[in-house]
Amino acid sequence: GDHRDLHSFPTRRSSDLIGKKLVEKAEEILREAKIQKIWMNARETAAEFYQKLGYKIEGELFNVKPIGFHYVMTKYFNS
């Protein structure tokens, strides 16, 4: 099944650390479940944060009303 709606708000250094730990824990759980790909709709303002964690932007920027602009971002895990 799909795993969705992990939100982090990397706006400050401490938030970056908390967000990084949340993403790393989610990735650990997904790897243990033998999931090979994770994708998300990431806010435009958070794209750089996720890129530093190995996520790639796929496609064009799009608007999620009323939240704002997002990218689809993906990361593949080695089997």
Side-chain angles (χ1 to χ4, degrees):
D2 289 344
H3 297 278
R4 301 207 40 180
D5 296 328
L6 170 67
H7 299 276
S8 63
F9 302 96
T11 56
R12 293 172 288 183
R13 189 171 300 202
S14 62
S15 294
D16 281 353
L17 180 58
I18 293 166
K20 180 180 177 190
K21 288 188 179 295
L22 285 169
V23 170
E24 287 171 346
K25 185 62 178 176
E27 290 178 358
E28 177 185 326
I29 292 166
L30 294 172
R31 280 190 186 97
E32 289 172 2
K34 307 282 191 240
I35 302 298
Q36 296 180 349
K37 175 184 176 182
I38 185 172
W39 71 271
M40 69 182 81
N41 293 336
R43 289 179 189 235
E44 178 183 25
T45 56
E48 184 178 343
F49 168 80
Y50 290 111
Q51 286 175 313
K52 288 178 183 176
L53 296 174
Y55 289 81
K56 307 278 187 223
I57 292 173
E58 291 193 7
E60 300 295 321
L61 189 64
F62 63 95
N63 193 10
V64 177
K65 294 180 183 180
I67 300 168
F69 289 95
H70 288 67
Y71 288 107
V72 172
M73 299 191 78
T74 59
K75 184 174 184 177
Y76 292 85
F77 303 123
N78 295 332
S79 321

